[in-house]
Amino acid sequence: LKYELPFGTLGLGLVLIGVLTESVPLMFVGIAVWAPGAQCWNSTAQVVIADSVPANGRTKVVANMTSLRLVANAVGPLLQMTMLLAMGKNHWGNSLLRLVICAGCVLWPGVLFWTLKLEDLPALEKTAGGAARSAAGSSFDPDDLDRPLFGIAIRWWLAGTLELVTFVTAIGAGMTVKFFPLFFRVDYNFTPLEVCALSFVYPLSIALMVQVCRRLSKYLGRLSAVVVFHFFGTGCLWLMCYVRSLYLVLPLYLLRGALMNARGPIVRAIIMDLVTTDMRGRWNSIQSLSSFTWSGSAALGGYLADIGGDYRFTFIVTAGIYTVSGLLSCFLFFIYPSEKKHACQARDLSPVQAVSNLHSSPSVVATNAAGGLFGIEGQQTPRSNGGEGTDLQSLGSRSAS
């Protein structure tokens, strides 16, 4: 996490200079420097969390941290709204948006300070008494996970399929999520203030739904909750493809994003429970493939929007991909082992709460608030947890240019 700071600082500085000088190539270089460091942060932070909490509290900690991070993401647009109202301006102009975007860099020193204060601790399973505690609170029976299927342990079939579902979902999400801001600006003539308001409400709705999904997973089971939320979110996107009234599109948009992204923390918690401690770091690096696909498929989404002449054409393609990935996840029910009830309920969370306080420290809050203000995604997005990700904050620089 600390080694990422120089890359993040350099990338942020290059983007800032690019925005001030209106140099698009410099902005691209800055993002290229920022992105690898951000991905390293995403993967490493999740592994640290998985290594620091007993299995029976992992789902709750990941969900709580995600909700806190999303609240931090909402701070950026809120401050942008405050700036726009204070200046009494509300138009799509480079001079105005440049000032609003650059305001986010003032929070970066807080990221540096609080990240440097973190201490490197050994994995819980490798500490005195930690292995016994982790085994006692394990979500699954080890014998069930190590049972071979076609010569491969069940744990790897489950983890691999979940990553495949995340990968396929990322293909569809990248084609559409990047264009939601432009969709509202072009089709419904949203002003900068209205886009900021939408950017403020959107992560809050996801943060709330994350907690709903976590609680429902206690009764439905974690896999069932993930699949149910996936299909309901996909249904909302299908409706968005054909509904025209803004009074219906807005609730569907917020509900769709909340449902699709709320499942992310549950997915990551399941995968971390399946993967052995010595493999978590390497396995979590697979996320970079989904992240790359999520970003790269935006080019295909733009191409399809040009062909169809409407962003809704891209929405239809994405909804079809979501449907396919949802059906893929259904196959998991045939091999998914039963979970111990305490694994989801996590009654004894004294060490978990301590770790939760550590990882929901001001470093995470400041980083994501800075990302929301500056127009760069925060260090961890719902996509990095297995969700689809958001990209509302970056509308200003794209639409103005």
Side-chain angles (χ1 to χ4, degrees), residues 115-187:
T115 302
L116 291 173
K117 287 190 65 176
L118 296 177
E119 297 181 7
D120 192 10
L121 301 175
L124 181 65
E125 289 92 336
K126 297 181 180 180
T127 59
R133 179 181 176 84
S134 182
S138 177
S139 306
F140 304 101
D141 188 327
D143 292 336
D144 290 339
L145 294 182
D146 293 329
R147 179 168 52 88
L149 179 64
F150 300 114
I152 301 175
I154 287 291
R155 69 168 72 240
W156 303 118
W157 281 107
L158 291 170
T161 304
L162 284 171
E163 293 289 4
L164 176 62
V165 171
T166 300
F167 175 77
V168 175
T169 303
I171 295 176
M175 294 169 56
T176 293
V177 174
K178 291 282 186 179
F179 297 100
F180 276 133
L182 289 173
F183 166 69
F184 284 106
R185 179 178 183 256
V186 173
D187 284 29

Side-chain angles (χ1 to χ4, degrees), residues 289-309:
L289 182 62
S290 296
S291 299
F292 172 79
T293 304
W294 184 85
S295 298
S297 60
L300 178 59
Y303 178 73
L304 292 175
D306 288 340
I307 291 179

Side-chain angles (χ1 to χ4, degrees), residues 207-285:
L208 176 63
M209 195 62 71
V210 165
Q211 298 303 317
V212 173
C213 185
R214 180 180 68 82
R215 284 170 170 77
L216 283 179
S217 69
K218 297 179 183 179
Y219 306 100
L220 300 178
R222 291 190 293 181
L223 180 61
S224 297
V226 166
V227 174
V228 167
F229 273 60
H230 184 102
F231 278 111
F232 273 104
T234 302
C236 290
L237 183 58
W238 276 115
L239 290 175
M240 281 187 65
C241 296
Y242 302 102
V243 171
R244 298 286 173 171
S245 172
L246 179 62
Y247 297 104
L248 294 176
V249 170
L250 272 179
L252 285 172
Y253 167 72
L254 295 174
L255 184 59
R256 181 215 65 83
L259 290 169
M260 289 299 295
N261 287 288
R263 32 183 285 286
I266 311 298
V267 172
R268 296 322 305 178
I270 294 174
I271 291 176
M272 290 299 101
D273 286 346
L274 294 170
V275 178
T276 55
T277 305
D278 59 315
M279 286 291 292
R280 281 179 189 150
R282 283 173 285 180
W283 187 271
N284 222 40
S285 64

Side-chain angles (χ1 to χ4, degrees), residues 64-85:
N64 288 343
M65 192 191 71
T66 301
S67 293
L68 179 64
R69 190 171 59 246
L70 287 163
V71 171
N73 281 335
V75 172
L78 178 61
L79 295 177
Q80 287 178 331
M81 291 170 59
T82 303
M83 292 179 62
L84 290 172
L85 291 172

